[in-house]
Amino acid sequence: RRRDRRVRASRWQSVPRLVARVGAMAWMLPGLREEAKSPWHKKREKGLNLAARAAPLPEYDALQDVHLKHLWNQPSIKQSLQTAGFMDESGRPVDVDAHRRKLYVIEQELAQADRVERHRALEKERRLRDRQVLAKRQEAQELHMQHVHQIRDDRRRKREERRAAFEASAAANISAPIGGSRSAGSLSGAGAASLQRLPPKA
């Protein structure tokens, strides 16, 4: 038991040293040589000058790769590429970058056509709404004129009825006997005089 305790204690005592060693090696890149120690080597390292220049990497086009030609010639893949627009009907690859301006112009024309069609539909709806409003206004005007004509006809009819009633009452007053001793000639003269005193008709 004492021996086991000593082994365990020695293991636990070696853990901090292992951690310290790993921490010291953590900043070093694996597989590289150590830093130069002599001043001459350090001077040579600081004076290192490379004449390399930044250059763009060559572009890779998979459709132009001769080693993949057998893959693009397969019927299913060829049909899918033609559907996506990467190949024309003859099977030649299409340069999307070269035709990008043309595609942009086509998209702009399609968008403009959509705007024109939308404006045309809105203009058609506006004209239809204006025609409906004008039809309702005309119908309301006709109903108003019919009401006005009906009121005028009613007033004219009432006025004629009042005039007829007035004339009938005037005729009844003329034909009624004024006294028993008067003769027919005196009655006719009195009737003529009363007719002359009647107000003129409106």
Side-chain angles (χ1 to χ4, degrees):
R1 292 181 180 177
R2 293 180 181 178
R3 186 176 179 180
D4 294 339
R5 290 178 182 176
R6 290 176 183 176
V7 171
R8 291 177 184 177
S10 62
R11 288 179 181 177
W12 281 109
Q13 290 176 0
S14 62
V15 168
R17 288 178 295 187
L18 180 62
V19 171
R21 186 178 299 175
V22 171
M25 295 175 61
W27 64 272
M28 296 179 62
L29 295 176
L32 300 178
R33 65 175 177 82
E34 297 181 356
E35 293 182 359
K37 298 180 179 180
S38 64
W40 183 73
H41 286 134
K42 289 183 179 181
K43 186 177 181 180
R44 288 192 63 184
E45 288 181 356
K46 290 181 180 180
L48 181 64
N49 186 12
L50 296 177
R53 297 179 180 179
L57 295 175
E59 295 181 359
Y60 174 73
D61 190 1
L63 296 176
Q64 300 290 343
D65 194 349
V66 295
H67 303 288
L68 297 177
K69 187 178 292 184
H70 65 282
L71 176 64
W72 309 133
N73 288 332
Q74 293 182 8
S76 59
I77 298 179
K78 187 175 181 179
Q79 184 177 2
S80 62
L81 289 174
Q82 289 178 355
T83 305
F86 291 100
M87 279 190 178
D88 55 4
E89 295 179 355
S90 61
R92 292 177 299 180
V94 176
D95 191 358
V96 181
D97 295 332
H99 294 79
R100 185 174 297 173
R101 185 180 298 276
K102 185 185 297 184
L103 295 175
Y104 177 76
V105 172
I106 293 173
E107 290 178 357
Q108 291 297 322
E109 290 180 354
L110 291 175
Q112 186 176 2
D114 292 339
R115 288 194 298 269
V116 170
E117 187 66 24
R118 186 167 58 253
H119 288 317
R120 187 179 300 171
L122 293 175
E123 184 68 19
K124 186 177 180 180
E125 292 179 359
R126 187 183 64 80
R127 290 180 180 177
L128 179 62
R129 186 169 60 253
D130 292 344
R131 284 198 296 268
Q132 292 177 355
V133 170
L134 291 176
K136 289 182 179 180
R137 288 179 180 176
Q138 187 174 0
E139 183 179 359
Q141 183 70 17
E142 290 178 357
L143 291 176
H144 176 68
M145 294 304 296
Q146 290 178 3
H147 184 63
V148 169
H149 289 314
Q150 185 177 1
I151 292 174
R152 289 180 178 177
D153 293 339
D154 292 341
R155 290 178 180 177
R156 187 181 299 108
R157 181 174 53 79
K158 290 179 180 179
R159 188 168 56 250
E160 290 176 357
E161 289 178 357
R162 286 196 301 269
R163 183 181 298 175
F166 178 75
E167 290 178 355
S169 62
N173 291 333
I174 292 171
S175 62
I178 299 174
S181 61
R182 293 185 179 180
S183 61
S186 61
L187 289 174
S188 61
S194 63
L195 286 175
Q196 290 177 0
R197 288 194 297 271
L198 284 175
K201 295 181 181 179

